[in-house]
Amino acid sequence: MVRSASPLPRLTIPVLLGATLVVAGLGVGPTPAQADEIEDSLVAALDAYRAGDTSVAKEELDFAAQLLSQMKAEGLSSFLPAAQPGWTREDGETQALGTGLMGSGLSANATYRRDGDTVDIQFLADNPMVTAMAGMFTNPSAMGAMGTVKRIGRQKVVVSQDGELQALVNNRIMVQISGSAPVEDKEAYFEAIDIRGLQDF
């Protein structure tokens, strides 16, 4: 006896949205404009799935997941501190990274200027390179080889010979502060970062 193919399981927009949120690792809601674009992709994925076109369905779901990841990257940028008095802030590009040279994950950065001095702050989250470096930040000898180890607030920070600050928050978010400004200015900017908020991000 020949069995007929099992019908495709019934998928709905809430089910697709829930699955896509899990894939993107997102815990915040989209803005109305973003929701429209995300919902359009989910509807297209559902239509393609029901038509048996799993390739297009996956493509649309991947696009929705990318939009959701970009939303989370924008959330990461909200932890960049405001400019200190007398400084200006220029926001860099906020990205949900793909699988290129830098690997996957999220990034956000900003440049702060005062006269001829600059401070560059970059966050890199959920990235394989950051994961690989986590062991160094839990090894006192390795941290000592990277530079001078100190605490700013309750966070351990490495200050390199070039005056660059590096810290690993919650073993998954790298904070890097560089630029031409004196190290005291960089430390002041580090103090202005909401580290507790980053830990919960």
Side-chain angles (χ1 to χ4, degrees), residues 116-200:
D117 291 336
T118 61
V119 171
D120 299 305
I121 302 179
Q122 181 179 46
F123 298 150
L124 193 59
D126 300 329
N127 178 275
M129 184 175 66
V130 174
T131 302
M133 293 183 65
M136 299 177 64
F137 280 84
T138 57
N139 185 318
S141 297
M143 287 188 73
M146 293 167 62
T148 302
V149 181
K150 63 189 304 182
R151 282 190 183 274
I152 299 179
R154 297 185 59 83
Q155 180 67 45
K156 285 190 294 185
V157 178
V158 177
V159 183
S160 72
Q161 291 184 344
D162 296 332
E164 179 177 316
L165 276 63
Q166 290 191 81
L168 185 64
V169 178
N170 204 25
N171 287 327
R172 50 178 286 269
I173 302 175
M174 179 69 71
V175 177
Q176 295 178 314
I177 303 182
S178 58
S180 63
V183 68
E184 293 80 11
D185 289 325
K186 297 171 189 172
E187 291 178 356
Y189 270 103
F190 187 91
E191 287 185 283
I193 296 172
D194 181 7
I195 296 297
R196 185 177 294 275
L198 273 180
Q199 290 172 341
D200 295 334

Side-chain angles (χ1 to χ4, degrees), residues 17 48 54 63 65 89 91 100 111-112 132 143 198:
L17 180 57
T54 55
F63 181 64
R89 168 176 155 173
D91 290 334
T111 298
Y112 303 80
M143 287 188 73
L198 273 180

Side-chain angles (χ1 to χ4, degrees), residues 72-94:
K72 189 165 187 180
E74 291 168 2
L76 181 63
S77 69
S78 69
F79 292 100
L80 291 164
Q84 299 280 340
W87 292 73
T88 61
R89 168 176 155 173
E90 178 183 336
D91 290 334
E93 187 175 1
T94 298

